[in-house]
Amino acid sequence: MSRPPKLNNDCFALPAGVHWTPVSEALHLLEQRLQCCVPVETCAVEASDGRVLAHAVVAARSHPPCPNSAVDGYAFSGGLEAGAQSFELRQGRSAAGEAFSGQLRPGQALRILTGAALPEGADTVVLQEDVEIEGGRLKVVGPLRAGANARAAGEDMKQGAEIFPAGHQLRPEDLGVMAAAGLGEVCVFKPLKVAVISTGAELRASGQAARVDQIFDANRPMLCALLRRWGMEVVDIGIVPDEAAAVRAALDQAAERADVIVTSGGASAGDEDHMSAVLHAGGGMALWRIAVKPGRPLALGVWGGVPVFGLPGNPVAAFVCTLIFARPALLQMAGAGFQMPKSLHLPAAFSKSKKAGRREYLRARLRDGAVEVFGSEGSGRVSGLSWSEGLVELPDAAAEILPGQTVCFLPYASFGLP
Ligand code: AMP
Ligand code: MG
């Protein structure tokens, strides 16, 4: 693939006949053209981590379900005025899971433990450290506001209130929240099935014997793991040689078994770029020359009615394109909506001069509050992927970055990755 044409100062004007699609336009088109394509099923809350909600979830009961105590102490009604006063101490106690069945009258207090239901006739709790007991009476010193150290029913979540919107991808903490809100099952989308294909005559699967002129397939293990992290179901089609018939057969098999196909390699327009050639011949193919580094071009096609993301073969480019383009698109298909990563604006710990005309992503990490970048921008340097903890996004326009200047850092966590 040739480099982007040199641009004059009119930085986004493109030479006639050459259209480099800006990243934002490419993302916009993907968002418009892809839709949720997975059916709905029910799932136990306990097994719902990573699943995407098909409907909004509402609290099945209030949390807490009844007023309870936030501390170990003594419950009574109405708070305390300033000064010393005392209460008749009732026999018994209220403990978590063992509510007191009686009712307190004014002037009475009851021993209560953290998490225990407030007895009827009580709305305030005084800390056990702040009392004295003498001759069956509880002696306290005010003031204490009415309602102190007590939690109101529903103060956290009210029965019937929405706690998560449709499309939310559930995290471990959400399982705790749903359980607390009394839910046993939720409606979720079935996981999106994504077929993964590596193409290239030079590729060998990891663990196989390889000649020096062969390389190991780095993309498939990486892409499959990314997709699983995002809650998708992987259909691993394997490695396909650079032969049109083999590529077609692999696409047929993938379209049969999956909702969407992700391929790497052969996506450009060279002699051995069979993925783009086959997709092209199949009719439903658009080669998007996206103004991005690393990564162009991204081949988008349709095979047997199933969308195909043809990623570049270079593992660094394949990784970046997957995070930037495939992830939001696949999440949209999975019912989770088109999700853009949340960026952090932080000082650079590097210098860099970039030309106008394409957006650039550098492997980066955060150290001492500043963003440092991997020593080499060479996209063949796969090791930089593991060195990095995120990407720096440099704008489409020309930029002169100096240490201390603010840059946009996209931590891998903002792509749903550790
Ligand atoms: P391609 O996009 O097929 O022209 O490949 C670009 C570069 O990435 C070439 O150096 C390929 O050998 C390499 N490459 C392609 N696919 C893979 C893969 N699955 N794992 C590692 N490197 C790859
Ligand atoms: Mg190739």
Side-chain angles (χ1 to χ4, degrees):
M1 200 65 212
S2 59
R3 295 176 67 81
K6 279 220 164 71
L7 299 171
N8 52 28
N9 282 347
D10 187 4
C11 70
F12 295 118
L14 296 164
V18 178
H19 183 56
W20 291 92
T21 309
V23 170
S24 52
E25 194 179 311
L27 289 171
H28 182 65
L29 287 170
L30 285 173
E31 184 174 7
Q32 281 187 327
R33 292 183 188 180
L34 294 170
Q35 279 152 24
C36 175
C37 66
V38 277
V40 175
E41 64 182 2
T42 55
C43 170
V45 162
E46 294 190 4
S48 66
D49 183 34
R51 305 299 299 270
V52 177
L53 290 173
H55 303 302
V57 167
V58 298
R61 73 165 181 174
S62 292
H63 184 261
C66 68
N68 71 17
S69 179
V71 297
D72 287 350
Y74 294 85
F76 56 92
S77 175
L80 299 173
E81 295 188 345
Q85 50 222 278
S86 70
F87 291 86
E88 173 197 341
L89 192 54
R90 286 279 298 261
Q91 287 290 312
R93 62 172 203 171
S94 185
E98 290 169 34
F100 179 76
S101 55
Q103 188 173 357
L104 297 192
R105 288 188 301 279
Q108 292 185 328
L110 180 77
R111 175 78 173 135
I112 193 164
L113 301 176
T114 305
L118 286 183
E120 273 192 62
D123 62 4
T124 307
V125 181
V126 59
L127 282 166
Q128 63 186 20
E129 299 88 296
D130 295 343
V131 306
E132 276 179 36
I133 295 169
E134 247 182 60
R137 291 196 71 82
L138 181 78
K139 300 175 107 183
V140 291
V141 179
L144 187 67
R145 86 182 154 74
N149 300 315
R151 304 171 181 139
E155 71 173 24
D156 185 26
M157 294 181 275
K158 290 211 167 38
Q159 183 177 2
E162 181 175 317
I163 51 176
F164 297 112
H168 178 69
Q169 191 163 21
L170 295 166
R171 304 166 301 161
E173 55 271 40
D174 303 333
L175 274 51
V177 170
M178 292 193 296
L183 290 142
E185 279 190 337
V186 279
C187 273
V188 293
F189 289 113
K190 286 198 169 185
L192 185 73
K193 282 189 242 152
V194 189
V196 179
I197 304 174
S198 287
T199 73
E202 73 280 33
L203 299 181
R204 302 286 289 156
S206 57
Q208 287 184 331
R211 299 192 314 258
V212 285
D213 61 340
Q214 294 177 318
I215 60 165
F216 290 110
D217 176 4
N219 290 343
R220 215 159 32 95
M222 176 175 73
L223 295 173
C224 291
L226 284 172
L227 297 165
R228 289 192 189 105
R229 288 269 161 125
W230 294 330
M232 295 160 196
E233 190 179 314
V234 169
V235 179
D236 187 351
I237 304 286
I239 298 171
V240 177
D242 285 322
E243 292 158 20
V247 170
R248 274 196 296 272
L251 287 172
D252 281 344
Q253 199 199 344
E256 184 79 18
R257 294 172 58 192
D259 303 310
V260 52
I261 304 168
V262 174
T263 75
S264 67
S268 197
D271 293 350
E272 293 299 330
D273 286 321
H274 294 282
M275 183 54 65
S276 60
V278 163
L279 287 173
H280 216 57
M285 156 77 181
L287 186 65
W288 283 19
R289 290 147 58 96
I290 299 176
V292 63
K293 182 189 169 191
R296 68 208 150 72
L298 181 64
L300 290 163
V302 177
W303 192 264
V306 173
V308 184
F309 279 83
L311 301 169
N314 182 297
V316 173
F319 181 79
V320 170
C321 280
T322 300
L323 263 53
I324 302 299
F325 301 106
R327 176 177 175 267
L330 295 177
L331 287 176
Q332 172 129 312
M333 297 182 76
F338 201 83
Q339 286 177 34
M340 301 300 287
K342 291 188 188 81
S343 56
L344 301 174
H345 294 269
L346 293 165
F350 63 94
S351 312
K352 156 105 185 153
S353 170
K354 94 170 261 304
K355 294 199 186 107
R358 66 181 178 186
R359 196 169 293 186
E360 290 190 22
Y361 294 93
L362 308 180
R363 284 153 283 172
R365 64 186 191 183
L366 193 55
R367 288 291 179 276
D368 301 323
V371 179
E372 53 185 44
V373 292
F374 189 55
S376 162
E377 283 185 32
S379 58
R381 301 281 286 270
V382 184
S383 64
L385 291 175
S386 291
W387 175 92
S388 59
E389 294 162 7
L391 300 172
V392 161
E393 183 181 69
L394 302 178
D396 300 9
E400 288 293 336
I401 291 139
L402 295 169
Q405 221 167 301
T406 302
V407 289
C408 177
F409 179 62
L410 306 171
Y412 289 147
S414 74
F415 297 97
L417 302 173

